[in-house]
């Protein structure tokens, strides 16, 4: 009986939360007049890997991207809601939404569903009209996290947040140029995902510059 109770307690302690069900990792990082967002490519069902081409970063407009970590079905639903809100904003205002306004929109959308929430963690990366980087992250009910760009210009979400934050604290520094920013965010994401069995299988990195968006695909450990 004692052994059975121990096994039951162990099973309860190791139960996977709904936010970790599909796995995944998203990382945002600021540079000098540029900003980057990256995600891994794994799509899983608990410990089983179902696909290795699941992109979790979506383009809102040329200077604004959002990454969604968490439950895959909620990612799709929330992205469709955002596309509708963005279309209505462009129709009414006849301009692209500012990153700070978009962050408030995302936070509001999450909070209004707080009693039956979307199980996602958003990471927003964009450039404002002065080409200053903007980063935003929140929990699944919309409580915002706005990092200090001078001391810790990065945000992370997903199943390996602790590992990603540790890597970023070691490697990030202010005023990174686009190529330096790409190298830093790539190394941080790959190193963090390698230490988490629910994320990995390569990555996609987006570097948002004032005049272009650089997209690159990384190969990672395939195990």
């Amino acid at each position: 009986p004692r052994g059975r109770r121990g096994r039951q307690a162990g099973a309860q302690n190791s139960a996977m939360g709904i936010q970790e069900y599909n796995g995944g990792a998203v990382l945002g990082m600021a540079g000098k007049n540029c900003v980057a967002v990256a995600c891994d490519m794994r799509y899983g069902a608990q410990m089983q890997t179902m696909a290795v081409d699941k992109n979790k970063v979506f383009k809102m407009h040329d200077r604004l991207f959002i990454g969604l970590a968490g439950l895959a079905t909620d990612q799709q639903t929330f992205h469709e809601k955002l596309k509708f809100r963005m279309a209505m904003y462009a129709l009414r205002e006849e301009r692209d939404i500012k990153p700070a306004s978009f962050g408030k929109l995302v936070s509001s959308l999450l909070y209004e569903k707080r009693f039956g929430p979307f199980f996602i963690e958003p990471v927003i990366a964009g450039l404002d009209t002065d080409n200053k980087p903007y980063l935003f992250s929140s929990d699944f009910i919309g409580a915002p996290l706005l990092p200090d760009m001078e001391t810790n210009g990065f945000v992370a979400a997903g199943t390996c947040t602790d590992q990603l934050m540790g890597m970023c604290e070691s490697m990030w520094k202010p005023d990174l140029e686009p190529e330096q920013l790409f190298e830093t965010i790539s190394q941080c994401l790959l190193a963090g995902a390698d230490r988490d069995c629910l994320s990995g299988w390569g990555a996609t990195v987006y570097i948002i510059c004032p005049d272009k968006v650089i997209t690159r695909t990384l190969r990672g450990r395939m195990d």
Side-chain angles (χ1 to χ4, degrees):
R2 181 180 302 173
R4 186 183 304 156
R5 284 198 297 268
R7 287 194 297 272
Q8 290 173 348
Q12 291 174 355
N13 291 336
S14 63
M16 184 176 293
I18 191 65
Q19 284 184 276
E20 293 84 37
Y21 184 84
N22 296 122
V26 181
L27 180 62
M29 190 175 288
K32 183 179 181 181
N33 295 330
C34 59
V35 67
V37 60
C39 68
D40 74 319
M41 302 302 290
R42 180 183 182 272
Y43 168 71
Q46 295 185 335
M47 297 297 179
Q48 183 177 6
T49 298
M50 308 294 290
V52 293
D53 58 354
K54 178 73 167 70
N55 192 19
K56 305 169 185 71
V57 175
F58 307 98
K59 178 181 177 180
M60 296 292 102
H61 60 71
D62 289 340
R63 296 159 66 93
L64 182 64
F65 284 68
I66 183 171
L68 299 174
L71 190 64
T73 50
D74 281 356
Q75 291 175 18
Q76 296 172 340
T77 303
F78 195 72
H79 179 224
E80 292 299 320
K81 283 182 172 290
L82 287 178
K83 287 200 298 185
F84 171 74
R85 292 296 185 99
M86 292 290 289
M88 292 301 295
Y89 186 94
L91 187 66
R92 184 174 61 249
E93 300 289 334
E94 298 182 350
R95 61 184 173 89
D96 289 333
I97 192 170
K98 295 179 180 178
S101 301
F102 184 68
K104 291 181 174 63
L105 169 64
V106 169
S107 183
S108 176
L109 281 174
L110 290 171
Y111 187 70
E112 73 180 15
K113 295 288 187 180
R114 62 193 178 278
F115 298 115
F118 295 107
F119 294 104
I120 57 172
E121 297 173 271
V123 170
I124 299 172
L127 292 177
D128 64 15
T129 53
D130 298 324
N131 294 329
K132 291 182 179 179
Y134 174 85
L135 289 174
F136 170 97
S137 180
S138 81
D139 61 8
F140 61 88
I141 60 170
L145 170 63
L146 298 170
D148 181 0
M149 296 299 181
E150 300 297 325
T151 57
N152 55 343
F154 47 84
V155 290
T159 55
C160 58
T161 303
D162 292 343
Q163 294 91 326
L164 291 175
M165 293 299 284
M167 289 301 304
C168 291
E169 287 170 359
S170 300
M171 299 182 67
W172 181 85
K173 60 183 180 181
D175 295 331
L176 293 168
E177 297 293 336
E179 287 301 320
Q180 296 174 315
L181 181 62
F182 165 73
E183 190 68 28
T184 303
I185 194 172
S186 300
Q187 294 293 340
C188 289
L189 183 65
L190 291 176
D194 282 349
R195 288 158 177 79
D196 174 44
C197 64
L198 299 178
S199 57
W201 285 83
T204 303
V205 181
Y206 300 85
I207 311 293
I208 307 165
C209 304
D211 56 343
K212 61 184 175 181
V213 176
I214 304 169
T215 306
R216 290 175 180 160
T217 302
L218 307 176
R219 294 186 65 183
R221 284 178 54 175
M222 301 297 180
D223 59 355

